[in-house]
Amino acid sequence: MMGRSLRGRLIRLLLGVLAPVWLLLAVASYLYMLQEVDELFDHQLEQVAATLFSLDMGQIQAAVDAPGLHAFNDDDAFAAWAWDLQGRPVFRSQAAPALAFRQSGERLQTLEIGGQRWRVLWVKEPLRDRWLAVARPWYERDELAAGLAVGLGSPWLLSLMVMVVLIWMAVGRGLAPLEDLSRQIAARRPEDLSPVLASAIPDEAQPLMAEINLLMTRLQAALENERRFTADASHELRTPLAAIRAQLEVAMAEPVAAARQHALAQALAGVSRATRLTEQLLLLARLDHLAAVPDAGVFDLLLLAREELADCACQAMGRGIELSLDGESSMLFGSASLLRLAVRNLLDNAVNHAPSGGHVAVSLATMAGRLSLSVQDNGPGVPDAALARLGERFYRLDSVLQGSGLGLSIVRRVVALHGAELDFSNRGGLCVSLVFPVSASTA
């Protein structure tokens, strides 16, 4: 869970930044401490040498071997050597190993003497005409450095643990608004899709909150549409099913064969209407769940309209309605299957509402880079007040007895998926136009 939680990620990032800085400071402090130990070690040799300057040989012997000059470890004494100006040894303390005289070289040296490292200070006493060397074993410096490192490292390790705890607490406090938001959403009822109101949300989380609330609004609108659609569909289906049942009951009770056949024919017509309504409901439900145009491609809209006119020719001829098509070949990018469905619904609507012996015209035109496909009949048209409601689900004019009011709703949804516009107008009959933007059409 640490690898997937925001808290764990923030803690790792903070430690990944602060831990190297902490380690760098710790190493720098340790190196500085070693430098100070070296200076302290050398300064002690300087003080011992300065003390021995004023003494003669006998006094030096007594002073070097005295416990008072033991520096950091009473078990180890300083070592001292003395030579005359010609390099002849004149003195060596009891703790001092054999050391060769060196007249040149650095004043402070680290030498390997008797299989052991020593820190040696060389000084010349011009007043007494002698050379003096004072030394101390190097391991004492290491022991001192190790002791100081332990004393220095303990607070640093403690500070690291305190830093981890403080980071954990700080990250937890910083994420508290998000945890409050999570608890608020978790406590909601499934049907509660109102916007989430959370206080003290950081600025970085505001876009997420806005998207969550937008999603809530969309879900609420979608659920409301589903409820309304289900209620309308159940109401619309109840009527043809009740009519079918009534006709079947009449047929079962009718002794006259002709009347019985008429009732069965009416029941069959009702089944056809119910089947048509069910197909439209399922189709509209499928279209509502589409977020983009499926199977998009380039096709000729004029050819598509011609094929649909040919399919409805028999229906139009049965009512003596003349069909016409005007326009030039126009390429369109979109879903040919969905637009074929929209054109078929418009043609069915126009043929059903045109008077017997009337006319239905389909035309394609390109104006200002916009492609328009219009289907117009010469029927009575639609009252101007009702034009704005055309395309609403289950909306029918009072003068229209047939149909479910879903055909134009399907057309409106198809048009919306293509980013086009649907226009209704009265031009000696109802004219429905599909207007496609420039990006969808190519000449």
Side-chain angles (χ1 to χ4, degrees):
M1 293 301 295
M2 178 71 74
R4 291 177 291 178
S5 69
L6 182 58
R7 179 196 295 268
R9 184 177 182 184
L10 289 176
I11 291 175
R12 288 196 306 274
L13 289 176
L14 289 174
L15 289 178
V17 173
L18 296 179
V21 176
W22 175 91
L23 181 60
L24 181 62
L25 292 176
V27 172
S29 299
Y30 178 71
L31 294 178
Y32 177 76
M33 182 269 298
L34 290 181
Q35 181 180 356
E36 291 297 317
V37 168
D38 290 340
E39 292 180 359
L40 178 63
F41 212 65
D42 294 342
H43 181 65
Q44 188 182 33
L45 292 177
E46 295 279 0
Q47 289 181 327
V48 172
T51 302
L52 298 181
F53 276 166
S54 60
L55 303 178
D56 56 22
M57 290 302 175
Q59 292 173 323
I60 291 177
Q61 180 68 48
V64 172
D65 295 330
L69 286 181
H70 291 197
F72 307 110
N73 188 340
D74 290 340
D75 296 333
D76 297 299
F78 281 91
W81 298 263
W83 298 267
D84 60 17
L85 293 181
Q86 287 71 35
R88 292 187 294 269
V90 296
F91 167 78
R92 186 176 78 178
S93 65
Q94 295 179 358
L99 176 64
F101 173 70
R102 298 183 183 183
Q103 191 172 0
S104 60
E106 296 181 358
R107 190 165 179 267
L108 280 166
Q109 297 177 341
T110 302
L111 302 176
E112 189 79 18
I113 306 174
Q116 184 178 359
R117 294 181 70 195
W118 290 74
R119 185 66 171 172
V120 182
L121 171 65
W122 301 83
V123 291
K124 183 179 180 181
E125 298 182 76
L127 297 178
R128 295 181 179 271
D129 295 329
R130 65 185 178 188
W131 280 88
L132 185 65
V134 182
R136 191 161 182 80
W138 187 262
Y139 70 85
E140 293 185 5
R141 178 261 190 196
D142 292 337
E143 291 177 356
L144 176 61
L148 292 176
V150 171
L152 180 66
S154 298
W156 277 92
L157 290 177
L158 179 61
S159 68
L160 178 61
M161 291 186 289
V162 172
M163 181 176 66
V164 172
V165 173
L166 292 178
I167 288 176
W168 179 275
M169 296 174 59
V171 170
R173 186 174 181 84
L175 294 178
L178 296 181
E179 294 177 355
D180 293 340
L181 174 63
S182 177
R183 286 192 293 268
Q184 180 182 349
I185 295 178
R188 284 193 167 213
R189 299 186 305 274
E191 65 274 12
D192 185 6
L193 295 177
S194 58
V196 179
L197 301 177
S199 59
I201 290 296
D203 294 339
E204 292 79 5
Q206 290 295 341
L208 176 62
M209 281 293 304
E211 291 299 325
I212 290 177
N213 287 332
L214 181 60
L215 178 60
M216 292 287 192
T217 303
R218 291 174 179 172
L219 287 176
Q220 189 171 19
L223 289 177
E224 187 62 29
N225 288 336
E226 291 291 339
R227 295 190 189 100
R228 186 169 56 250
F229 180 77
T230 302
D232 293 340
S234 61
H235 173 74
E236 292 293 328
L237 283 172
R238 188 179 298 114
T239 301
L241 291 177
I244 292 171
R245 178 173 181 174
Q247 293 295 333
L248 291 176
E249 291 176 349
V250 169
M252 292 177 64
E254 183 60 54
V256 181
R260 186 166 58 250
Q261 289 296 325
H262 177 73
L264 290 175
Q266 292 297 318
L268 184 60
V271 171
S272 299
R273 287 193 296 272
T275 301
R276 172 67 176 167
L277 176 59
T278 303
E279 291 175 350
Q280 287 183 321
L281 287 173
L282 294 175
L283 176 60
L284 194 54
R286 183 172 67 88
L287 291 177
D288 282 341
H289 287 85
L290 290 178
V293 178
D295 304 326
V298 178
F299 59 92
D300 190 346
L301 187 59
L302 180 67
L303 179 61
L304 184 148
R306 181 183 295 118
E307 292 173 351
E308 291 305 312
L309 279 173
D311 288 343
C312 72
C314 294
Q315 178 185 357
M317 290 175 60
R319 299 190 56 207
I321 296 176
E322 179 184 354
L323 302 177
S324 65
L325 175 63
D326 182 32
E328 298 180 353
S329 177
S330 301
M331 305 307 295
L332 184 70
F333 179 80
S335 173
S337 59
L338 292 184
L339 286 173
R340 189 180 300 276
L341 181 64
V343 172
R344 185 182 304 127
N345 276 277
L346 292 179
L347 289 175
D348 288 344
N349 210 47
V351 170
N352 289 332
H353 292 88
S356 298
H359 179 260
V360 173
V362 179
S363 61
L364 273 77
T366 302
M367 295 181 298
R370 306 180 75 189
L371 177 61
S372 172
L373 182 145
S374 301
V375 178
Q376 181 178 355
D377 61 66
N378 62 342
V382 175
D384 292 340
L387 285 176
R389 296 198 60 187
L390 291 180
E392 293 183 7
R393 298 179 180 185
F394 304 107
Y395 175 72
R396 293 190 298 264
L397 297 174
D398 295 336
S399 58
V400 178
L401 300 179
Q402 59 180 349
S404 61
L406 290 178
L408 290 179
S409 299
I410 294 174
V411 175
R412 183 181 292 277
R413 180 56 183 159
V414 172
V415 168
L417 286 172
H418 285 80
E421 299 176 4
L422 185 61
D423 179 68
F424 299 98
S425 59
N426 286 309
R427 301 177 185 175
L430 179 62
C431 178
V432 183
S433 300
L434 312 182
V435 183
F436 298 92
V438 178
S439 58
S441 62
T442 54

